[in-house]
Amino acid sequence: MDDQLSKVFAALSDPTRRDMVARLSVADATVNELAEPYDVSVQAVSKHLKVLEDSGLVSRTRDAQRRPVHLEDNVFDLMTKWIERYRQQAEERYQRLDAVLEQMNEDEATHSTDPSAASANGSDGTSTHRRSRKGA
């Protein structure tokens, strides 16, 4: 996986990492602070953070004695653009389908209320009978 988008989606495929991202969206935190609610070792949390860091979702800075983890929100723009492109394409497809269905309903309504169109099409009920008589 070389591209950043794949790394980001892979990193967010883990629920623990998604929870960490959610917590970091509120405020920066140290590794120990991030590890508190989980029943895993600090080393395990560090491994999760390494995956998030490799994807570009988080960065670590130095603040005196602390090394807070910071959420890089610009990566969400990359994800949003990718998702929005496919959301728009799907929306346009649904709008075209709605237009086709609406046109079909209008055509059906026109044919069912227009007796001349119904008899011209042979759909007035009697023409079928006539045809079957002709065939008999």
Side-chain angles (χ1 to χ4, degrees):
M1 264 186 307
D2 290 339
D3 69 297
Q4 186 179 18
L5 190 60
S6 296
K7 288 180 179 179
V8 169
F9 280 116
L12 292 175
S13 67
D14 184 273
T16 302
R17 290 193 287 264
R18 285 195 305 271
D19 186 59
M20 288 179 176
V21 167
R23 293 174 53 213
L24 287 169
S25 70
V26 176
D28 293 354
T30 64
V31 174
N32 287 332
E33 291 168 342
L34 286 170
E36 285 176 9
Y38 307 117
D39 192 24
V40 296
S41 66
V42 173
Q43 288 79 17
V45 170
S46 290
K47 286 182 181 178
H48 282 300
L49 286 174
K50 177 76 173 132
V51 173
L52 292 171
E53 199 170 13
D54 288 346
S55 71
L57 278 166
V58 300
S59 62
R60 295 182 204 201
T61 57
R62 185 166 296 279
D63 181 22
Q65 299 295 321
R66 299 181 65 214
R67 287 200 67 201
V69 180
H70 173 75
L71 184 65
E72 296 294 335
D73 56 357
N74 58 340
V75 176
F76 291 108
D77 292 340
L78 178 71
M79 297 171 64
T80 302
K81 285 178 186 173
W82 187 85
I83 291 169
E84 183 61 24
R85 180 177 61 193
Y86 293 106
R87 191 200 63 74
Q88 279 181 336
Q89 287 179 357
E91 180 66 29
E92 288 168 7
R93 247 187 21 231
Y94 287 126
Q95 286 175 354
R96 287 193 307 267
L97 178 61
D98 285 345
V100 168
L101 292 173
E102 187 175 323
Q103 184 62 47
M104 289 173 66
N105 285 338
E106 287 177 12
D107 290 348
E108 190 174 303
T110 300
H111 289 293
S112 66
T113 58
D114 184 6
S116 63
S119 64
N121 291 334
S123 62
D124 60 351
T126 58
S127 61
T128 305
H129 182 66
R130 278 188 227 134
R131 266 192 242 137
S132 63
R133 282 187 153 192
K134 285 182 181 177

